[in-house]
Amino acid sequence: MSQDILHLNHLTYATPESLLCSKKTTRTRYPIYSERYDNCIGGEVLQIPFENIPDCCYIDGSKSSISLKINVNVPTPTAADDVYFWSTENSDPVYANTGATIVNLIKSAVHQLDNNDILYRENFLYMMQTIREYSQSFERKRVLTEVGGYGTNENKYNQYGVNKNTSFNIPLYLLSPFWNTASLIPSKILKNSKLSLVVNKLNESLIAYQRDSVTTRSFPADASITFSEMSLNLYQTELYDELDKSIKNQIIHFPYYSNNNDIHLLTSSSFMINIPLQASNLAYVALKFKPNGDSPIESAEIKDLGDVKPDNNYLPIKLQARINGMIFPGFPINDSVQAYIESINALQTISYPNAQNVDEMKVENKLMGGTISYYQFCNSQIEQVGQAYKLTSGFSSGGVIFAINLQKSNNVSLTGLEVNASRNLTIEIEGLDNYDNLTLFSQVRYMNVATIDKDKIVIMK
């Protein structure tokens, strides 16, 4: 019938020519030989080997993952105040933007190549998850409920029973920006490499609940965690033979981002921190203040940083970055509105986020607007005190990050500030009056280039 309609209208139909370069894509599961790690209490190393990967394929890192089962082991609960359930975060909208997932259980990640070079190293991986809240979409945030993330529709984190296996699938892009790319990764980089994940302490990673599923408490001293049935799931793409042959005869340069994460102990309200650099190009620097609280990874609220100022959108501190004689931004950040704008500009990676329909085919503009509004960054609340009403500013939802953009251009990727003439990035902070109740974490994102020349791989920073 359809062919008759085409004929009546003098139309012809032909299958369009495909411009795809891939011959086929398969999802391959690689069981991990040491797939079970019993009674972990923190400090153990989970080994993820990248073995038996064929040379002929390319890896889609954005779709690849690690699947596993997690069992939180506690003495059999009997009393009402024993531990019956666990979660990655407190189930309250106050903690909606901490970025908590079961990656809370991973203190650091190191990926070592077959030649012993380091592909990437992510220290304090669990703590720096909050930064992801500024660059992912709400749709992606909802997907991450599969790994214990915040349910934006349910306004809570899921809870799981103790002494029972729970299956998870951890996307590799949660471990490093190396995987969070639309570019296919040459398998030669990964073949015979090894990813090492250091386990975090249980009480620093998860929230324990009593029988009423509302009251929280700490895990008992003899609690532990078991990782089992671990496997590596890679999306492997094979190119057409002639194309693959032509690429193999050339030197391949694969650029990617890495993070330098660090911790800084605070001893004064005004200070400078020097971050040593081992990179040529920088993208941004981000700061996170961690309070002494019940949450494993929450950020300090604006009001927790220091004294209140006569401004509803106040910021207790002043901050800026300095490198190679240049100041970023060109003026000190001293109010929460400007701090929010600078963080959005540094951490949101979409092209032209303030334009409409700039790329209707969604080739460049991925519509990744971030999940933190200014209200979640800093808002005011009215409290009744006796017969009076008091307005207090500086409330947040657990995800305050102070980031400064170091890019030459927001519209061109991988063009960060050149720092060959200097090996230190200086952060200047004033007015942190509550410094003795805070810990400072920093993240500097920089560019690496993996060069493949036949069977030789060199990592350039």
Side-chain angles (χ1 to χ4, degrees):
M1 181 66 180
S2 59
Q3 292 296 325
D4 294 337
I5 294 175
L6 290 174
H7 178 72
L8 289 173
N9 289 277
H10 305 286
L11 300 175
T12 59
Y13 176 81
T15 303
E17 294 184 5
S18 173
L19 298 178
L20 295 177
C21 60
S22 59
K23 182 165 58 176
K24 66 176 181 177
T25 299
T26 57
R27 182 178 185 269
T28 305
R29 181 179 183 269
Y30 295 92
I32 297 171
Y33 56 82
S34 298
E35 64 173 20
R36 187 177 183 90
Y37 294 83
D38 289 305
N39 303 319
C40 297
I41 59 174
E44 295 83 0
V45 181
L46 312 182
Q47 302 283 4
I48 315 293
F50 285 70
E51 298 177 336
N52 304 318
I53 301 176
D55 291 331
C56 61
C57 71
Y58 293 77
I59 308 299
D60 187 340
S62 65
K63 295 180 180 178
S64 299
S65 63
I66 297 172
S67 58
L68 76 168
K69 294 182 184 295
I70 289 177
N71 190 348
V72 174
N73 312 303
V74 299
T76 303
T78 55
D81 60 351
D82 287 340
V83 177
Y84 284 78
F85 312 101
W86 63 271
S87 182
T88 60
E89 184 58 278
N90 290 287
S91 284
D92 190 305
V94 173
Y95 304 97
N97 294 114
T98 64
T101 65
I102 58 167
V103 177
N104 290 13
L105 289 165
I106 303 175
K107 188 167 187 177
S108 63
V110 180
H111 201 142
Q112 190 173 28
L113 300 182
D114 189 35
N115 62 5
N116 294 324
D117 282 353
I118 301 299
L119 185 62
Y120 57 84
R121 184 193 304 272
E122 294 281 339
N123 296 325
F124 308 106
L125 179 61
Y126 67 107
M127 188 62 63
M128 308 315 290
Q129 292 183 94
T130 310
I131 295 176
R132 183 179 64 247
E133 296 290 294
Y134 289 79
S135 59
Q136 69 180 357
S137 65
F138 277 105
E139 291 75 16
R140 176 53 53 183
K141 185 179 176 75
R142 294 187 184 105
V143 168
L144 292 183
T145 54
E146 68 170 343
V147 285
Y150 184 74
T152 55
N153 292 334
E154 299 77 16
N155 294 325
K156 63 178 295 185
Y157 290 86
N158 199 12
Q159 294 180 344
Y160 309 95
V162 299
N163 301 327
K164 180 186 297 185
N165 275 333
T166 306
S167 300
F168 291 104
N169 189 73
I170 304 176
L172 289 179
Y173 65 76
L174 295 184
L175 305 181
S176 171
F178 170 83
W179 302 100
N180 195 15
T181 174
S183 301
L184 294 176
I185 303 170
S187 61
K188 282 188 176 181
I189 298 178
L190 300 170
K191 188 171 184 179
N192 296 324
S193 66
K194 179 176 63 178
L195 174 60
S196 301
L197 306 177
V198 180
V199 179
N200 201 14
K201 295 180 180 179
L202 196 57
N203 272 312
E204 297 178 2
S205 307
L206 305 177
I207 301 294
Y209 287 93
Q210 297 180 14
R211 186 165 58 191
D212 63 6
S213 75
V214 176
T215 308
T216 61
R217 53 154 295 171
S218 61
F219 286 95
D222 53 354
S224 65
I225 189 165
T226 295
F227 301 89
S228 62
E229 299 185 35
M230 300 175 62
S231 64
L232 180 65
N233 309 305
L234 299 180
Y235 273 78
Q236 300 175 172
T237 296
E238 293 184 31
L239 304 183
Y240 287 109
D241 294 340
E242 290 301 318
L243 179 60
D244 187 47
K245 188 183 300 183
S246 65
I247 292 177
K248 284 183 177 179
N249 295 329
Q250 301 181 26
I251 298 176
I252 299 175
H253 301 284
F254 182 79
Y256 64 95
Y257 278 128
S258 290
N259 296 325
N260 178 56
N261 302 327
D262 208 347
I263 186 173
H264 312 275
L265 301 180
L266 306 177
T267 59
S268 174
S269 60
S270 298
F271 54 91
M272 294 188 299
I273 58 173
N274 293 314
I275 302 175
L277 305 173
Q278 295 181 349
S280 58
N281 286 19
L282 304 182
Y284 67 73
V285 57
L287 305 176
K288 174 180 178 177
F289 293 96
K290 174 71 173 67
N292 300 324
D294 297 330
S295 166
I297 66 168
E298 69 170 320
S299 296
E301 297 182 281
I302 298 293
K303 64 181 180 60
D304 294 334
L305 302 180
D307 296 337
V308 176
K309 294 183 179 180
D311 181 346
N312 286 326
N313 290 325
Y314 77 101
L315 184 66
I317 64 175
K318 291 183 180 180
L319 62 92
Q320 61 185 25
R322 190 186 301 270
I323 189 170
N324 286 356
M326 295 180 287
I327 298 175
F328 297 88
F331 48 86
I333 300 172
N334 58 10
D335 64 69
S336 58
V337 174
Q338 190 60 44
Y340 177 75
I341 293 172
E342 293 295 332
S343 296
I344 292 297
N345 289 339
L347 301 177
Q348 285 189 6
T349 56
I350 64 173
S351 301
Y352 309 103
N354 58 337
Q356 295 182 1
N357 297 327
V358 67
D359 178 21
E360 296 188 11
M361 298 302 294
K362 308 297 184 293
V363 176
E364 296 294 336
N365 188 348
K366 306 299 182 184
L367 299 181
M368 300 278 283
T371 64
I372 294 185
S373 67
Y374 178 74
Y375 181 86
Q376 293 166 309
F377 189 89
C378 180
N379 65 78
S380 301
Q381 298 182 13
I382 300 174
E383 301 173 313
Q384 184 175 0
V385 182
Q387 298 298 318
Y389 291 86
K390 179 183 178 183
L391 185 144
T392 304
S393 301
F395 290 92
S396 311
S397 57
V400 173
I401 295 292
F402 301 101
I404 298 175
N405 188 14
L406 302 176
Q407 292 275 21
K408 293 179 182 177
S409 168
N410 288 337
N411 302 325
V412 182
S413 61
L414 299 179
T415 56
L417 174 71
E418 295 179 0
V419 295
N420 290 324
S422 175
R423 289 299 176 189
N424 277 290
L425 170 65
T426 301
I427 308 296
E428 302 171 358
I429 298 177
E430 298 179 16
L432 190 68
D433 298 319
N434 199 24
Y435 68 89
D436 52 347
N437 294 316
L438 300 168
T439 303
L440 175 60
F441 292 86
S442 66
Q443 179 177 100
V444 178
R445 178 159 293 189
Y446 61 92
M447 184 182 70
N448 282 345
V449 178
T451 300
I452 307 171
D453 185 1
K454 297 181 180 179
D455 294 328
K456 183 179 180 181
I457 301 174
V458 178
I459 306 296
M460 301 294 293
K461 296 183 179 181

